[in-house]
């Protein structure tokens, strides 16, 4: 069906977040209809700019907290991210990836929205019940404030999937740039003026909510495609089937997120929040490369899914090969920087206390090189839509992460945590890749 065709109605009243008005294709942010796809190069450029804004904001918060506060404050913020990210990642249910690769349009867009909102709400409720029982009041409140922000970001994310499927990553990029730059400003200002990380986290959540309501929702109207199948069936069974379809991929992506969290939890448990702050600050230097590779993957994802669905094996692997080559080149550049000027870079970005750990920086950049390739592997497996078959490989990766953390971090501290990153990145790359290659040959 042609792009821009409105979604099918099932006769039931739809909540405000799910409503799809009559087609209105004019882009309020500039000339040209939103229903018209951008070229691949333009989509990559916009995706890169948007993800750079996100990565820069996350890293900028860490830098500002390190400058304005202490490693312990950085550690508390990093702990909040470590606790909320896996839970909220699972709540996303990878619905954006499922929607973008849904070339047959098996489900209406409003079904994706409904499941996403319900899952995010349930995830926040779980955190609100559990976190105060485990951590002191100050830490628990910061964790819940960060979780609120992630709820609004999660709802925006499914609308970004709509724009991504239409190959209009410019809309996604504008949303990312606006919310993340504003979040850095309000959080830093709050910490500087009040000394309260909690106030800053709450203001950051308010920015996420405002961007969803004022920008993402208005631009989604009239863009949702009509479902090709099951349009007349009751919404409940459809939503349950969608949940069942996305659940294996959701578990896989949550495990990937958990693999980042696991060493941080071990560091906090065995070395304290201050050491966690130092380790997390150094580990954030992996983010620029991951941002670039994620941008490329998001821009290529619709085309990668189409080539696989069309049986174009040569075109599919050609795209994967080009992405892998870029990942390797990027990783080698980062490793060279760490080897040549690691101590100076850490001292300049943070403080001399961080520069003392330049050896950890080198190991982190080794992990980054392999992780960039793992990002390519992740997008490759998602494009096949064989979600259930890739659950076991990512379970194996998580087992490796837990075992390595338990063995290395209690003995070697943050250097051991960097080794865990290397081991986990290698497992994240090799285990799914071996399984994908096996499945390809068997087919």
């Amino acid at each position: 069906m042609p792009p821009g065709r409105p979604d099918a109605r099932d006769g039931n009243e739809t909540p405000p977040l799910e409503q799809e008005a009559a087609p209105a294709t004019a882009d309020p942010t500039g000339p040209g209809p939103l229903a018209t796809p951008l070229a691949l190069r333009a989509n990559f450029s916009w995706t890169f700019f948007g993800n750079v804004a996100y990565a820069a904001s996350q890293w900028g918060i860490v830098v500002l907290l390190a400058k304005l506060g202490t490693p312990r404050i950085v550690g508390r913020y990093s702990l909040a991210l470590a606790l909320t990210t896996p839970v909220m990642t699972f709540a996303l249910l990878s619905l954006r990836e499922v929607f973008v690769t849904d070339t047959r349009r098996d489900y209406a867009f409003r079904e994706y929205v409904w499941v996403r909102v319900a899952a995010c709400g349930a995830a926040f409720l779980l955190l609100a019940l559990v976190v105060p029982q485990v951590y002191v009041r100050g830490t628990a409140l910061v964790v819940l404030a960060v979780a609120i922000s992630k709820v609004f970001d999660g709802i925006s994310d499914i609308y970004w999937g709509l724009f991504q499927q239409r190959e209009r990553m410019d809309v996604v990029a504008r949303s990312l740039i606006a919310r993340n730059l504003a979040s850095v400003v309000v959080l830093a200002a709050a910490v500087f003026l009040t000394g309260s990380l909690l106030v800053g986290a709450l203001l950051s959540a308010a920015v996420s909510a405002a961007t969803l309501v004022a920008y993402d929702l208005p631009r989604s109207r009239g863009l949702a495609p009509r479902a090709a199948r099951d349009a007349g069936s009751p919404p409940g069974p459809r939503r349950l089937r969608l949940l069942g379809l996305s659940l294996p991929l959701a578990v896989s992506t949550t495990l990937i997120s958990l693999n980042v969290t696991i060493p941080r939890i071990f560091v906090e448990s065995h070395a304290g929040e201050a050491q966690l702050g130092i380790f997390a600050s150094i580990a954030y230097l992996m983010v620029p490369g991951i941002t670039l590779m994620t941008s490329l993957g998001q821009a290529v994802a619709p085309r990668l899914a189409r080539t696989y669905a069309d049986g174009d094996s040569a075109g599919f692997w050609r795209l994967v090969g080009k992405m892998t080559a870029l990942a390797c080149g990027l990783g080698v550049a980062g490793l060279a920087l760490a080897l040549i000027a690691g101590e100076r870079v850490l001292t300049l970005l943070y403080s001399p206390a961080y520069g003392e750990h330049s050896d950890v920086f080198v190991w982190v950049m080794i992990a980054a090189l392999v992780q960039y390739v793992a990002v390519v592997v992740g997008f490759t497996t998602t494009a096949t839509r064989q979600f259930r078959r890739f659950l076991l490989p990512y379970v194996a990766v998580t087992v490796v992460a837990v075992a390595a953390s338990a063995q290395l971090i209690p003995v070697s501290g943050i250097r051991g945590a960097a080794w865990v990153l290397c081991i986990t990145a290698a497992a994240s790359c090799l285990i799914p890749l071996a399984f994908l290659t096996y499945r390809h040959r068997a087919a």
Side-chain angles (χ1 to χ4, degrees):
M1 295 188 182
R5 187 170 179 179
D7 199 350
R9 299 289 185 181
D10 59 13
N12 296 324
E13 184 178 353
T14 308
L17 284 178
E18 302 177 68
Q19 288 177 356
E20 295 146 2
T25 56
D27 184 353
T29 65
L34 275 178
T36 303
L38 298 180
L40 179 59
R41 181 173 297 180
N43 272 317
F44 170 71
S45 297
W46 276 109
T47 305
F48 177 71
F49 291 141
N51 285 339
V52 162
Y54 172 77
S57 71
Q58 296 300 302
W59 181 52
I61 289 172
V62 172
V63 171
L64 289 170
L65 291 178
K67 298 288 187 182
L68 298 173
T70 65
R72 184 177 180 181
I73 291 178
V74 179
R76 176 166 289 187
Y77 180 73
S78 299
L79 180 62
L81 291 177
L83 293 173
T84 58
T85 297
V87 176
M88 297 310 301
T89 297
F90 181 77
L92 298 183
L93 293 170
S94 295
L95 288 173
R96 176 176 173 181
E97 289 77 10
V98 175
F99 176 72
V100 169
T101 59
D102 187 7
T103 56
R104 299 183 304 174
R105 292 193 286 275
D106 291 333
Y107 299 93
F109 177 66
R110 63 173 165 269
E111 309 295 357
Y112 289 90
V113 175
W114 192 96
V115 175
R116 170 63 61 82
V117 172
C120 284
F124 178 78
L125 180 60
L126 175 64
L127 287 169
L129 292 174
V130 173
V131 170
Q133 306 300 321
V134 180
Y135 293 94
V136 298
R137 184 172 182 272
T139 299
L141 290 175
V142 171
V143 170
L144 295 180
V146 171
I148 293 172
S149 181
K150 287 187 174 292
V151 166
F152 289 114
D153 289 345
I155 297 173
S156 286
D157 176 79
I158 193 62
Y159 287 94
W160 296 342
L162 176 60
F163 304 135
Q164 182 182 355
Q165 189 190 61
R166 292 310 182 88
E167 300 187 51
R168 290 302 304 260
M169 297 303 293
D170 55 326
V171 185
V172 180
R174 292 187 182 104
S175 179
L176 279 168
I177 291 170
R179 78 175 55 213
N180 286 292
L181 293 184
S183 292
V184 172
V185 171
V186 299
L187 193 149
V191 173
F192 177 74
L193 295 175
T194 70
S196 173
L197 179 59
L198 175 60
V199 173
L202 289 173
L203 289 176
S204 180
V207 168
S208 293
T211 309
L212 168 65
V213 173
Y215 186 88
D216 298 326
L217 293 180
R219 282 154 185 79
S220 70
R221 296 193 182 102
L223 289 181
R226 184 186 298 274
R229 304 194 305 173
D230 295 332
S233 63
R238 288 203 310 273
R239 291 163 181 170
L240 288 176
R241 287 198 298 272
L242 177 57
L243 178 62
L245 173 66
S246 63
L247 197 57
L249 181 59
V251 174
S252 298
T253 54
T254 302
L255 291 174
I256 294 172
S257 172
L258 192 61
N259 294 338
V260 177
T261 298
I262 287 169
R264 299 188 181 194
I265 292 177
F266 272 86
V267 170
E268 192 275 336
S269 175
H270 291 278
E273 288 183 344
Q275 286 294 295
L276 173 59
I278 292 173
F279 172 71
S281 298
I282 297 174
Y284 266 114
L285 296 177
M286 298 174 63
V287 171
I290 293 176
T291 299
L292 177 60
M293 295 312 305
T294 300
S295 302
L296 179 62
Q298 290 174 342
V300 173
R303 190 167 301 183
L304 200 63
R306 285 197 299 269
T307 58
Y308 186 86
D310 293 341
D312 182 6
S313 180
F316 179 81
W317 289 106
R318 184 165 53 249
L319 285 173
V320 173
K322 291 179 179 179
M323 294 169 67
T324 303
L326 177 60
C328 292
L330 189 64
V332 169
L335 178 57
L337 177 64
L339 288 169
I340 295 171
E343 182 177 357
R344 283 174 292 184
V345 169
L346 293 177
T347 300
L348 178 64
L349 293 177
Y350 303 117
S351 72
Y354 294 81
E356 296 173 359
H357 300 280
S358 58
D359 59 326
V360 175
F361 185 22
V362 172
W363 285 107
V364 165
M365 287 297 100
I366 294 173
L369 192 160
V370 184
Q371 187 61 45
Y372 301 158
V373 179
V375 171
V376 177
V377 173
F379 278 103
T380 303
T381 57
T382 300
T384 67
R385 289 181 65 82
Q386 300 178 51
F387 305 135
R388 295 181 183 276
R389 293 176 177 175
F390 288 99
L391 178 58
L392 183 59
Y394 287 110
V395 170
V397 173
T398 301
V399 171
V400 170
V402 173
S405 296
Q407 290 295 319
L408 297 174
I409 294 176
V411 175
S412 301
I414 62 174
R415 185 184 292 108
W419 296 340
V420 171
L421 292 182
C422 294
I423 294 170
T424 304
S428 298
C429 182
L430 295 177
I431 295 176
L433 182 61
F435 193 81
L436 178 65
T437 304
Y438 171 77
R439 295 299 307 175
H440 174 68
R441 289 177 179 174

